[in-house]
Amino acid sequence: GALKQLANVSKNLGITRPFIVTDPGIKAVGILAKVEDALGMAPAGVFADTVPNPLESQAKLAAAMYRECGADGLIAVGGGSSMDHAKAIGLLVSHDQPLETYAAITGGAKKIGKIPPLVAIPTTAGTGSEVSVGSVITLENGRKETIVSPNLIPATAICDPDLTLGLPAGLTAATGMDAVTHCIEAVLAPSINPPAEGIGYEGVYRAVGNGWLKKAVKDGADADARWNMMMASYEGALAFVKGLGGVHALSHAAGRLHDKKLHHGTLNAVFLPHILRFHAGAADEKYARLRQAMGLKPGADLADAIEALNEDIGIPKALKTLGLGMEDAQGVVDYALKDLAHFGNPKPMSADDYAKVYETALG
Protein backbone atom coordinates (compact mmCIF):
# COMPACT_ATOMS: atom_id res chain seq x y z
CA GLY A 1 0.00 0.00 0.00
CA ALA A 2 3.01 2.34 -0.03
CA LEU A 3 1.97 3.74 -3.43
CA LYS A 4 -0.52 5.99 -1.65
CA GLN A 5 2.43 8.07 -0.43
CA LEU A 6 3.33 9.15 -3.98
CA ALA A 7 1.51 12.51 -3.90
CA ASN A 8 3.20 13.61 -0.67
CA VAL A 9 6.58 12.30 -1.77
CA SER A 10 6.37 14.26 -5.03
CA LYS A 11 5.27 17.40 -3.25
CA ASN A 12 8.11 17.14 -0.70
CA LEU A 13 10.62 16.80 -3.54
CA GLY A 14 9.24 19.90 -5.24
CA ILE A 15 7.94 17.97 -8.25
CA THR A 16 5.02 19.92 -9.72
CA ARG A 17 5.25 18.71 -13.33
CA PRO A 18 6.22 15.02 -13.17
CA PHE A 19 7.40 13.03 -16.17
CA ILE A 20 6.56 9.32 -15.91
CA VAL A 21 8.85 6.70 -17.47
CA THR A 22 7.44 3.19 -17.90
CA ASP A 23 6.94 0.39 -20.41
CA PRO A 24 4.05 -0.93 -22.56
CA GLY A 25 3.35 -3.88 -20.27
CA ILE A 26 2.91 -1.69 -17.19
CA LYS A 27 0.49 0.50 -19.12
CA ALA A 28 -1.44 -2.50 -20.47
CA VAL A 29 -2.06 -4.10 -17.06
CA GLY A 30 -3.29 -0.86 -15.49
CA ILE A 31 -0.39 -0.11 -13.14
CA LEU A 32 0.34 3.18 -14.89
CA ALA A 33 -3.25 4.25 -14.26
CA LYS A 34 -2.88 3.33 -10.56
CA VAL A 35 0.25 5.47 -10.34
CA GLU A 36 -1.45 8.41 -12.02
CA ASP A 37 -4.37 8.10 -9.58
CA ALA A 38 -2.01 8.03 -6.59
CA LEU A 39 -0.13 11.03 -7.96
CA GLY A 40 -3.23 13.19 -7.65
CA MET A 41 -2.26 15.38 -10.60
CA ALA A 42 -1.94 14.99 -14.33
CA PRO A 43 1.67 14.23 -15.31
CA ALA A 44 3.38 16.75 -17.56
CA GLY A 45 4.38 13.87 -19.82
CA VAL A 46 4.56 10.09 -20.08
CA PHE A 47 7.05 7.91 -21.93
CA ALA A 48 5.56 4.39 -21.93
CA ASP A 49 7.67 2.71 -24.60
CA THR A 50 10.76 1.66 -22.63
CA VAL A 51 12.26 -1.53 -24.04
CA PRO A 52 14.03 -4.30 -22.11
CA ASN A 53 17.75 -3.47 -21.89
CA PRO A 54 17.09 0.29 -22.37
CA LEU A 55 18.69 2.19 -25.23
CA GLU A 56 20.51 5.51 -25.37
CA SER A 57 18.51 6.32 -28.52
CA GLN A 58 15.24 6.01 -26.57
CA ALA A 59 16.64 8.06 -23.70
CA LYS A 60 17.38 10.89 -26.14
CA LEU A 61 13.80 10.85 -27.43
CA ALA A 62 12.37 10.82 -23.91
CA ALA A 63 14.74 13.61 -22.81
CA ALA A 64 13.45 15.77 -25.67
CA MET A 65 9.87 15.07 -24.52
CA TYR A 66 10.84 15.96 -20.93
CA ARG A 67 12.19 19.33 -22.03
CA GLU A 68 9.26 20.09 -24.33
CA CYS A 69 6.64 19.53 -21.63
CA GLY A 70 8.53 21.57 -19.04
CA ALA A 71 8.82 18.71 -16.55
CA ASP A 72 10.64 19.22 -13.25
CA GLY A 73 11.01 15.65 -11.97
CA LEU A 74 10.88 11.99 -12.93
CA ILE A 75 8.78 9.05 -11.78
CA ALA A 76 10.03 5.64 -12.93
CA VAL A 77 7.47 2.83 -12.86
CA GLY A 78 8.45 -0.72 -13.76
CA GLY A 79 11.39 -3.08 -13.60
CA GLY A 80 15.07 -2.29 -13.88
CA SER A 81 14.75 -1.19 -17.49
CA SER A 82 12.34 1.66 -16.72
CA MET A 83 14.29 2.76 -13.66
CA ASP A 84 17.66 2.68 -15.45
CA HIS A 85 16.07 4.48 -18.41
CA ALA A 86 14.74 7.22 -16.12
CA LYS A 87 18.21 7.72 -14.64
CA ALA A 88 19.64 8.09 -18.16
CA ILE A 89 16.92 10.60 -19.06
CA GLY A 90 17.69 12.58 -15.90
CA LEU A 91 21.36 12.60 -16.86
CA LEU A 92 20.66 13.78 -20.41
CA VAL A 93 18.37 16.65 -19.36
CA SER A 94 20.89 17.96 -16.84
CA HIS A 95 24.23 17.27 -18.56
CA ASP A 96 25.58 18.17 -21.99
CA GLN A 97 27.74 15.31 -23.22
CA PRO A 98 26.66 11.94 -24.70
CA LEU A 99 26.10 9.10 -22.23
CA GLU A 100 29.37 7.33 -23.08
CA THR A 101 31.12 10.26 -21.39
CA TYR A 102 29.79 9.00 -18.06
CA ALA A 103 30.66 5.29 -18.35
CA ALA A 104 32.06 4.07 -15.04
CA ILE A 105 34.79 2.01 -16.65
CA THR A 106 36.38 5.15 -18.16
CA GLY A 107 36.08 7.28 -15.01
CA GLY A 108 32.84 8.99 -15.95
CA ALA A 109 31.46 9.00 -12.40
CA LYS A 110 33.36 12.15 -11.44
CA LYS A 111 31.62 14.06 -14.25
CA ILE A 112 28.11 13.35 -12.97
CA GLY A 113 26.39 16.09 -11.01
CA LYS A 114 22.86 16.22 -9.70
CA ILE A 115 19.93 15.10 -11.85
CA PRO A 116 16.26 16.15 -11.45
CA PRO A 117 14.45 14.54 -8.50
CA LEU A 118 13.57 10.93 -9.29
CA VAL A 119 10.98 8.73 -7.59
CA ALA A 120 11.47 5.04 -8.38
CA ILE A 121 8.53 2.63 -8.10
CA PRO A 122 9.62 -0.96 -8.81
CA THR A 123 6.99 -3.38 -10.13
CA THR A 124 9.27 -6.43 -10.14
CA ALA A 125 11.51 -7.84 -7.43
CA GLY A 126 14.83 -8.15 -9.17
CA THR A 127 17.18 -5.34 -10.10
CA GLY A 128 17.00 -3.16 -7.01
CA SER A 129 17.68 -0.17 -9.26
CA GLU A 130 15.43 1.89 -7.00
CA VAL A 131 18.26 2.09 -4.44
CA SER A 132 21.35 1.58 -6.58
CA VAL A 133 24.03 4.00 -7.75
CA GLY A 134 23.96 2.48 -11.23
CA SER A 135 22.18 2.66 -14.56
CA VAL A 136 22.87 0.08 -17.27
CA ILE A 137 22.22 1.37 -20.79
CA THR A 138 22.93 0.05 -24.29
CA LEU A 139 24.74 2.95 -25.93
CA GLU A 140 24.62 4.00 -29.55
CA ASN A 141 28.21 2.72 -29.91
CA GLY A 142 26.87 -0.83 -29.29
CA ARG A 143 28.26 -1.28 -25.80
CA LYS A 144 26.10 -2.01 -22.78
CA GLU A 145 27.62 0.31 -20.19
CA THR A 146 27.20 0.77 -16.47
CA ILE A 147 26.97 4.41 -15.40
CA VAL A 148 27.60 4.87 -11.69
CA SER A 149 27.22 7.81 -9.32
CA PRO A 150 25.64 8.52 -5.94
CA ASN A 151 23.74 11.24 -7.81
CA LEU A 152 21.85 8.50 -9.69
CA ILE A 153 20.32 7.05 -6.53
CA PRO A 154 16.60 7.95 -6.70
CA ALA A 155 15.56 10.66 -4.28
CA THR A 156 12.83 8.33 -2.99
CA ALA A 157 12.00 4.68 -3.61
CA ILE A 158 8.42 3.52 -3.15
CA CYS A 159 8.64 -0.26 -2.82
CA ASP A 160 5.05 -1.49 -2.81
CA PRO A 161 4.88 -5.30 -3.08
CA ASP A 162 1.18 -5.02 -3.97
CA LEU A 163 2.32 -3.91 -7.42
CA THR A 164 3.99 -7.30 -7.94
CA LEU A 165 0.95 -9.41 -7.03
CA GLY A 166 -0.05 -11.54 -9.98
CA LEU A 167 3.26 -11.07 -11.81
CA PRO A 168 3.61 -14.09 -14.17
CA ALA A 169 5.59 -17.03 -12.80
CA GLY A 170 8.27 -16.79 -15.50
CA LEU A 171 8.96 -13.13 -14.82
CA THR A 172 8.85 -13.71 -11.06
CA ALA A 173 11.47 -16.44 -11.43
CA ALA A 174 13.76 -14.43 -13.74
CA THR A 175 13.67 -11.24 -11.69
CA GLY A 176 14.01 -13.21 -8.47
CA MET A 177 17.17 -14.88 -9.76
CA ASP A 178 18.48 -11.44 -10.69
CA ALA A 179 18.15 -10.48 -7.01
CA VAL A 180 19.78 -13.75 -5.88
CA THR A 181 22.67 -13.23 -8.30
CA HIS A 182 23.19 -9.68 -7.04
CA CYS A 183 23.48 -10.97 -3.49
CA ILE A 184 25.84 -13.86 -4.33
CA GLU A 185 28.15 -11.89 -6.63
CA ALA A 186 28.30 -9.00 -4.15
CA VAL A 187 29.38 -11.41 -1.41
CA LEU A 188 32.06 -12.94 -3.64
CA ALA A 189 33.46 -9.62 -4.91
CA PRO A 190 36.94 -9.21 -3.35
CA SER A 191 36.56 -5.58 -2.23
CA ILE A 192 36.20 -5.00 1.51
CA ASN A 193 32.74 -3.90 2.66
CA PRO A 194 31.45 -6.06 5.52
CA PRO A 195 28.07 -4.26 5.90
CA ALA A 196 27.25 -4.73 2.19
CA GLU A 197 28.45 -8.33 2.36
CA GLY A 198 26.24 -8.99 5.38
CA ILE A 199 23.23 -7.62 3.53
CA GLY A 200 24.08 -9.90 0.61
CA TYR A 201 24.06 -12.99 2.84
CA GLU A 202 20.75 -11.89 4.35
CA GLY A 203 19.23 -11.45 0.88
CA VAL A 204 20.30 -14.97 -0.13
CA TYR A 205 18.85 -16.35 3.10
CA ARG A 206 15.56 -14.52 2.56
CA ALA A 207 15.08 -15.52 -1.09
CA VAL A 208 16.57 -19.03 -1.10
CA GLY A 209 17.15 -20.26 2.45
CA ASN A 210 13.68 -19.19 3.56
CA GLY A 211 12.16 -20.30 0.26
CA TRP A 212 10.35 -17.06 -0.57
CA LEU A 213 11.42 -17.13 -4.22
CA LYS A 214 9.91 -20.56 -4.79
CA LYS A 215 6.75 -19.52 -2.95
CA ALA A 216 6.37 -16.35 -5.05
CA VAL A 217 6.77 -18.34 -8.27
CA LYS A 218 4.32 -21.02 -7.13
CA ASP A 219 1.61 -18.59 -6.01
CA GLY A 220 1.61 -15.12 -7.57
CA ALA A 221 -0.96 -13.94 -5.02
CA ASP A 222 1.12 -14.85 -1.94
CA ALA A 223 1.44 -11.42 -0.32
CA ASP A 224 4.12 -12.53 2.17
CA ALA A 225 6.24 -14.00 -0.61
CA ARG A 226 5.90 -10.81 -2.64
CA TRP A 227 6.90 -8.66 0.35
CA ASN A 228 9.96 -10.78 1.06
CA MET A 229 11.10 -10.88 -2.57
CA MET A 230 10.72 -7.11 -2.84
CA MET A 231 12.98 -6.87 0.22
CA ALA A 232 15.48 -9.39 -1.20
CA SER A 233 15.67 -7.33 -4.39
CA TYR A 234 16.24 -4.16 -2.37
CA GLU A 235 18.95 -5.92 -0.35
CA GLY A 236 20.67 -7.15 -3.51
CA ALA A 237 21.18 -3.61 -4.74
CA LEU A 238 22.38 -2.39 -1.35
CA ALA A 239 24.91 -5.24 -1.43
CA PHE A 240 26.24 -4.81 -4.95
CA VAL A 241 27.69 -1.40 -4.18
CA LYS A 242 30.53 -3.76 -3.17
CA GLY A 243 30.83 -5.04 -6.74
CA LEU A 244 29.58 -7.76 -9.09
CA GLY A 245 31.44 -10.35 -11.16
CA GLY A 246 31.63 -12.61 -14.18
CA VAL A 247 27.93 -13.48 -14.25
CA HIS A 248 27.03 -9.85 -14.82
CA ALA A 249 29.92 -9.27 -17.21
CA LEU A 250 28.56 -12.06 -19.41
CA SER A 251 24.90 -11.07 -18.97
CA HIS A 252 25.59 -7.47 -19.91
CA ALA A 253 27.60 -8.63 -22.92
CA ALA A 254 24.81 -10.93 -24.12
CA GLY A 255 22.07 -8.46 -23.22
CA ARG A 256 23.51 -5.85 -25.57
CA LEU A 257 22.30 -8.05 -28.50
CA HIS A 258 19.11 -6.05 -28.83
CA ASP A 259 17.54 -8.21 -31.56
CA LYS A 260 17.68 -11.27 -29.27
CA LYS A 261 15.48 -9.57 -26.63
CA LEU A 262 17.13 -11.46 -23.77
CA HIS A 263 16.00 -10.98 -20.17
CA HIS A 264 18.84 -9.93 -17.88
CA GLY A 265 17.63 -11.97 -14.90
CA THR A 266 17.27 -15.11 -17.00
CA LEU A 267 20.80 -14.70 -18.35
CA ASN A 268 22.11 -14.26 -14.80
CA ALA A 269 20.35 -17.43 -13.67
CA VAL A 270 21.82 -19.49 -16.53
CA PHE A 271 25.37 -18.17 -16.14
CA LEU A 272 25.47 -18.25 -12.31
CA PRO A 273 26.15 -21.98 -11.71
CA HIS A 274 28.93 -22.02 -14.32
CA ILE A 275 30.67 -19.01 -12.77
CA LEU A 276 30.29 -20.56 -9.30
CA ARG A 277 32.07 -23.68 -10.57
CA PHE A 278 34.87 -21.56 -12.04
CA HIS A 279 35.46 -19.71 -8.76
CA ALA A 280 35.22 -22.81 -6.52
CA GLY A 281 38.26 -22.81 -4.24
CA ALA A 282 38.90 -19.07 -4.60
CA ALA A 283 36.66 -18.01 -1.68
CA ASP A 284 36.11 -21.10 0.48
CA GLU A 285 34.92 -19.26 3.59
CA LYS A 286 32.36 -17.28 1.59
CA TYR A 287 31.15 -20.43 -0.16
CA ALA A 288 30.65 -22.04 3.26
CA ARG A 289 28.59 -19.09 4.48
CA LEU A 290 26.57 -19.04 1.25
CA ARG A 291 25.74 -22.73 1.76
CA GLN A 292 24.53 -21.87 5.24
CA ALA A 293 22.44 -18.95 3.96
CA MET A 294 20.89 -21.16 1.28
CA GLY A 295 20.02 -23.87 3.79
CA LEU A 296 22.42 -26.43 2.27
CA LYS A 297 24.45 -29.11 3.99
CA PRO A 298 28.16 -28.44 4.67
CA GLY A 299 30.17 -29.23 1.55
CA ALA A 300 27.17 -29.14 -0.76
CA ASP A 301 27.86 -27.98 -4.32
CA LEU A 302 26.62 -24.39 -4.71
CA ALA A 303 26.45 -24.61 -8.49
CA ASP A 304 24.37 -27.80 -8.36
CA ALA A 305 22.04 -26.15 -5.86
CA ILE A 306 21.50 -23.14 -8.13
CA GLU A 307 20.86 -25.44 -11.10
CA ALA A 308 18.28 -27.34 -9.05
CA LEU A 309 16.64 -24.07 -7.99
CA ASN A 310 16.54 -22.87 -11.60
CA GLU A 311 14.85 -26.10 -12.65
CA ASP A 312 12.32 -25.87 -9.80
CA ILE A 313 11.23 -22.37 -10.81
CA GLY A 314 11.23 -22.95 -14.57
CA ILE A 315 14.42 -21.17 -15.68
CA PRO A 316 15.81 -22.58 -18.97
CA LYS A 317 18.98 -24.58 -18.45
CA ALA A 318 20.91 -23.59 -21.57
CA LEU A 319 21.71 -20.42 -23.47
CA LYS A 320 20.75 -22.05 -26.77
CA THR A 321 17.17 -22.24 -25.47
CA LEU A 322 17.25 -18.43 -25.27
CA GLY A 323 18.40 -18.11 -28.90
CA LEU A 324 22.14 -17.70 -28.38
CA GLY A 325 24.70 -19.69 -30.38
CA MET A 326 28.42 -20.13 -30.92
CA GLU A 327 28.27 -17.36 -33.51
CA ASP A 328 27.63 -14.96 -30.60
CA ALA A 329 30.49 -16.26 -28.46
CA GLN A 330 33.33 -13.99 -29.57
CA GLY A 331 31.31 -10.80 -29.19
CA VAL A 332 30.03 -11.84 -25.76
CA VAL A 333 33.55 -12.65 -24.55
CA ASP A 334 35.02 -9.42 -25.94
CA TYR A 335 32.38 -7.26 -24.28
CA ALA A 336 32.51 -9.20 -20.99
CA LEU A 337 36.21 -8.34 -20.67
CA LYS A 338 35.36 -4.63 -21.04
CA ASP A 339 32.46 -4.67 -18.58
CA LEU A 340 32.78 -3.03 -15.18
CA ALA A 341 31.57 -6.20 -13.44
CA HIS A 342 34.51 -8.16 -14.88
CA PHE A 343 36.76 -6.53 -12.29
CA GLY A 344 34.77 -7.98 -9.37
CA ASN A 345 35.67 -11.61 -9.93
CA PRO A 346 37.19 -13.33 -6.86
CA LYS A 347 39.59 -15.09 -9.25
CA PRO A 348 40.81 -13.37 -12.45
CA MET A 349 39.05 -14.47 -15.65
CA SER A 350 40.71 -14.46 -19.06
CA ALA A 351 39.12 -14.45 -22.51
CA ASP A 352 39.61 -18.23 -22.63
CA ASP A 353 37.91 -18.61 -19.25
CA TYR A 354 34.86 -16.65 -20.40
CA ALA A 355 34.79 -18.56 -23.68
CA LYS A 356 34.75 -21.90 -21.83
CA VAL A 357 32.00 -20.74 -19.48
CA TYR A 358 29.94 -19.48 -22.42
CA GLU A 359 30.38 -22.71 -24.39
CA THR A 360 29.42 -24.84 -21.38
CA ALA A 361 26.39 -22.66 -20.63
CA LEU A 362 25.30 -22.88 -24.26
CA GLY A 363 24.23 -26.49 -23.65
Side-chain angles (χ1 to χ4, degrees):
L3 183 62
K4 65 180 179 289
Q5 299 180 46
L6 178 58
N8 281 337
V9 163
S10 301
K11 180 181 177 182
N12 291 339
L13 292 173
I15 300 175
T16 61
R17 296 183 57 77
F19 187 86
I20 298 177
V21 181
T22 190
D23 66 62
I26 295 298
K27 183 177 181 179
V29 299
I31 294 177
L32 173 59
K34 289 181 181 178
V35 169
E36 290 178 324
D37 287 345
L39 189 56
M41 68 174 103
V46 176
F47 187 94
D49 296 317
T50 300
V51 294
N53 303 303
L55 305 169
E56 180 181 14
S57 56
Q58 270 205 333
K60 285 183 174 180
L61 290 173
M65 290 173 60
Y66 180 101
R67 293 188 187 98
E68 287 168 12
C69 70
D72 60 6
L74 290 150
I75 298 174
V77 185
S81 294
S82 290
M83 290 186 281
D84 283 6
H85 189 202
K87 292 177 183 181
I89 294 164
L91 197 52
L92 286 173
V93 299
S94 54
H95 295 68
D96 294 330
Q97 293 109 332
L99 288 179
E100 65 181 300
T101 307
Y102 306 103
I105 202 164
T106 54
K110 62 180 179 290
K111 302 173 186 175
I112 299 175
K114 289 191 175 182
I115 67 170
L118 167 60
V119 179
I121 306 173
T123 61
T124 63
T127 81
S129 187
E130 71 275 6
V131 290
S132 86
V133 296
S135 172
V136 181
I137 301 287
T138 303
L139 303 184
E140 290 179 324
N141 63 16
R143 289 180 61 167
K144 190 171 184 181
E145 290 283 15
T146 304
I147 300 170
V148 173
S149 169
N151 289 319
L152 295 182
I153 301 173
T156 300
I158 297 179
C159 301
D160 188 342
D162 288 354
L163 297 178
T164 68
L165 289 169
L167 200 69
L171 191 55
T172 301
T175 53
M177 284 306 297
D178 192 17
V180 170
T181 305
H182 288 159
C183 292
I184 291 175
E185 284 213 293
V187 163
L188 294 177
S191 58
I192 307 300
N193 190 331
E197 201 165 292
I199 292 169
Y201 284 121
E202 210 284 331
V204 173
Y205 172 70
R206 186 180 297 274
V208 183
N210 261 347
W212 289 116
L213 174 53
K214 283 187 182 181
K215 292 172 186 174
V217 173
K218 183 178 180 181
D219 179 4
D222 185 331
D224 286 339
R226 293 299 186 184
W227 190 96
N228 278 281
M229 284 311 300
M230 181 71 81
M231 183 57 69
S233 172
Y234 168 82
E235 288 173 324
L238 292 179
F240 73 59
V241 70
K242 181 174 178 281
L244 291 166
V247 177
H248 273 78
L250 287 164
S251 293
H252 289 159
R256 84 186 204 289
L257 300 168
H258 185 60
D259 292 343
K260 304 270 186 183
K261 294 181 168 51
L262 301 169
H263 189 276
H264 174 68
T266 305
L267 287 169
N268 279 344
V270 175
F271 281 125
L272 179 57
H274 302 286
I275 291 291
L276 285 171
R277 287 196 181 99
F278 177 84
H279 288 308
D284 287 343
E285 185 180 339
K286 292 178 179 180
Y287 270 48
R289 290 192 66 187
L290 284 170
R291 289 186 192 99
Q292 187 178 18
M294 290 170 61
L296 304 174
K297 293 179 180 178
D301 189 293
L302 280 182
D304 287 351
I306 293 296
E307 284 183 340
L309 175 60
N310 282 342
E311 185 174 357
D312 285 347
I313 62 178
I315 296 284
K317 188 171 184 178
L319 294 176
K320 65 181 179 184
T321 312
L322 307 179
L324 287 163
M326 277 308 295
E327 68 276 10
D328 303 307
Q330 190 61 54
V332 169
V333 170
D334 289 347
Y335 277 90
L337 288 165
K338 299 172 185 173
D339 192 86
L340 182 66
H342 164 64
F343 300 97
N345 282 304
K347 182 168 70 176
M349 293 192 71
S350 67
D352 284 346
D353 294 328
Y354 278 122
K356 287 173 185 173
V357 166
Y358 180 87
E359 186 173 355
T360 306
L362 203 54

